[in-house]
Amino acid sequence: MTLDAIMAWCRRNAMELNATKSAVLTYTRRNDHIIFDYNLSGTALRRVSCFRDLSVTMASDFGPGEHIALICSKANSSLGFLCRASSDFRSPKTLATIFKTIVRPVLEYASVIWCPYQSGHIESLERLQTKFIRLMRLRLGYSYMDVPVESLTKDFGLPSLRARRKLADLSLLHKLVNGVIDCPQLLALLEFRLPGNTRSQDIFYRRAMPTLYSHHSCIPRLGREGKEVSGEVAFFSTTPAAFKKCLRQMIFPPQT
């Protein structure tokens, strides 16, 4: 059994597995699935519907809802602390810098893995940034609901979190295809397209997926986003920093 082999390897390498910190999570989108009891050193492992691994909450149905609810709650608490600790601050740029440092990373960590596609999840994340902008301008004399959110996001360098997730996706894709991230297993999942003529600049092949979930899952999403910009940015002749700078200019156009 694979679990027994893992335990044997750990013993040979003087490692110990803690059964109380381990759990069984079955990944499936079906309502009925096979239930099997697993044991570790004679201790039955508990069965869970979601599990947190490396600060990302993984759910049995592959959905990001549990993770998004958790990070929104954590970011909301951080936002409350920010507002209390900076009650005497009046500089919007200073407040924006603190938000980018403390709150926004909570909403973006490992977004390539759990990037949402349902409008409700997307709005839940954006709502936290909108709340910060309204609270920030409330201190400067605006009424809460009269704050011009859209214009202020540009003034303070706070583009939508959705656009920033796309930037993170494409930056990772560039590193993957150029060997900066050495992961042949992931690279093998990408489908590259051989152009049929010299005018075509498409690099990635766009394949139809059988379900909405698989369509929006990580690798198909990366390939689709890469295909969208392959005619405008150079995937194979730029450094990661230059590539990201070019993407920023394209995704976050300068204010006119």
Side-chain angles (χ1 to χ4, degrees), residues 24-33 47-51 57-68 113-115 117-118 121 211-214 216-217:
V24 177
L25 176 61
T26 301
Y27 290 102
T28 178
R29 296 180 71 82
R30 299 179 57 180
N31 293 326
D32 57 327
H33 55 273
R47 182 170 289 276
V48 296
S49 59
C50 62
F51 195 80
T57 302
M58 311 297 292
S60 59
D61 62 354
F62 301 98
E66 293 280 351
H67 179 73
I68 291 174
I113 298 173
W114 53 265
C115 185
Y117 62 90
Q118 294 177 316
H121 292 155
T211 64
L212 187 63
Y213 170 78
S214 59
H216 290 284
S217 59

Side-chain angles (χ1 to χ4, degrees), residues 117-173:
Y117 62 90
Q118 294 177 316
S119 59
H121 292 155
I122 294 171
E123 290 169 4
S124 294
L125 295 165
E126 297 291 348
R127 200 175 295 126
L128 266 298
Q129 181 163 281
T130 300
K131 181 179 180 180
F132 164 73
I133 293 172
R134 291 188 186 280
L135 289 172
M136 179 173 60
R137 297 301 285 173
L138 187 64
R139 296 182 179 182
L140 303 180
Y142 286 87
S143 62
Y144 187 81
M145 296 308 296
D146 291 338
V147 174
V149 174
E150 186 174 349
S151 63
L152 291 179
T153 56
K154 298 178 181 179
D155 292 342
F156 302 127
L158 293 171
S160 72
L161 299 179
R162 185 174 192 172
R164 286 180 55 81
R165 288 193 296 271
K166 184 174 182 179
L167 177 65
D169 281 354
L170 290 168
S171 296
L172 183 138
L173 180 62

Side-chain angles (χ1 to χ4, degrees), residues 218-232:
C218 182
I219 295 298
R221 187 185 73 249
L222 291 182
R224 188 168 60 254
E225 291 176 341
K227 184 179 185 301
E228 291 174 358
V229 302
S230 58
E232 302 177 59

Side-chain angles (χ1 to χ4, degrees), residues 13-246:
N13 290 273
M15 295 178 62
E16 184 178 353
L17 295 178
N18 191 334
T20 61
K21 294 183 179 180
S22 304
V24 177
L25 176 61
T26 301
Y27 290 102
T28 178
R29 296 180 71 82
R30 299 179 57 180
N31 293 326
D32 57 327
H33 55 273
I34 298 174
I35 302 294
F36 186 85
D37 294 327
Y38 293 91
N39 293 275
L40 189 64
S41 301
T43 302
L45 298 179
R46 59 194 173 93
R47 182 170 289 276
V48 296
S49 59
C50 62
F51 195 80
R52 195 179 184 197
D53 185 24
L54 298 177
S55 297
V56 177
T57 302
M58 311 297 292
S60 59
D61 62 354
F62 301 98
E66 293 280 351
H67 179 73
I68 291 174
L70 181 64
I71 62 174
C72 283
S73 176
K74 184 177 179 180
N76 196 47
S77 298
S78 298
L79 182 57
F81 169 77
L82 185 158
C83 292
R84 293 191 299 273
S86 63
S87 58
D88 295 330
F89 290 19
R90 288 296 177 267
S91 169
K93 290 186 177 180
T94 300
L95 291 170
T97 299
I98 297 174
F99 174 81
K100 294 175 185 179
T101 305
I102 296 178
V103 182
R104 193 169 68 180
V106 176
L107 299 171
E108 295 185 327
Y109 175 74
S111 65
V112 174
I113 298 173
W114 53 265
C115 185
Y117 62 90
Q118 294 177 316
S119 59
H121 292 155
I122 294 171
E123 290 169 4
S124 294
L125 295 165
E126 297 291 348
R127 200 175 295 126
L128 266 298
Q129 181 163 281
T130 300
K131 181 179 180 180
F132 164 73
I133 293 172
R134 291 188 186 280
L135 289 172
M136 179 173 60
R137 297 301 285 173
L138 187 64
R139 296 182 179 182
L140 303 180
Y142 286 87
S143 62
Y144 187 81
M145 296 308 296
D146 291 338
V147 174
V149 174
E150 186 174 349
S151 63
L152 291 179
T153 56
K154 298 178 181 179
D155 292 342
F156 302 127
L158 293 171
S160 72
L161 299 179
R162 185 174 192 172
R164 286 180 55 81
R165 288 193 296 271
K166 184 174 182 179
L167 177 65
D169 281 354
L170 290 168
S171 296
L172 183 138
L173 180 62
H174 178 269
K175 293 177 182 178
L176 190 60
V177 300
N178 285 278
V180 178
I181 295 177
D182 184 14
C183 187
Q185 295 84 355
L186 283 179
L187 187 60
L189 296 176
L190 290 170
E191 296 187 75
F192 293 91
R193 180 178 180 273
L194 296 178
N197 57 69
T198 56
R199 293 184 179 181
S200 177
Q201 296 179 326
D202 290 344
I203 300 173
F204 303 97
Y205 183 76
R206 182 174 181 176
R207 182 181 297 277
M209 305 302 291
T211 64
L212 187 63
Y213 170 78
S214 59
H215 175 75
H216 290 284
S217 59
C218 182
I219 295 298
R221 187 185 73 249
L222 291 182
R224 188 168 60 254
E225 291 176 341
K227 184 179 185 301
E228 291 174 358
V229 302
S230 58
E232 302 177 59
V233 293
F235 263 92
F236 299 104
S237 60
T238 56
T239 63
F243 180 80
K244 193 169 185 178
K245 181 179 179 180
C246 183

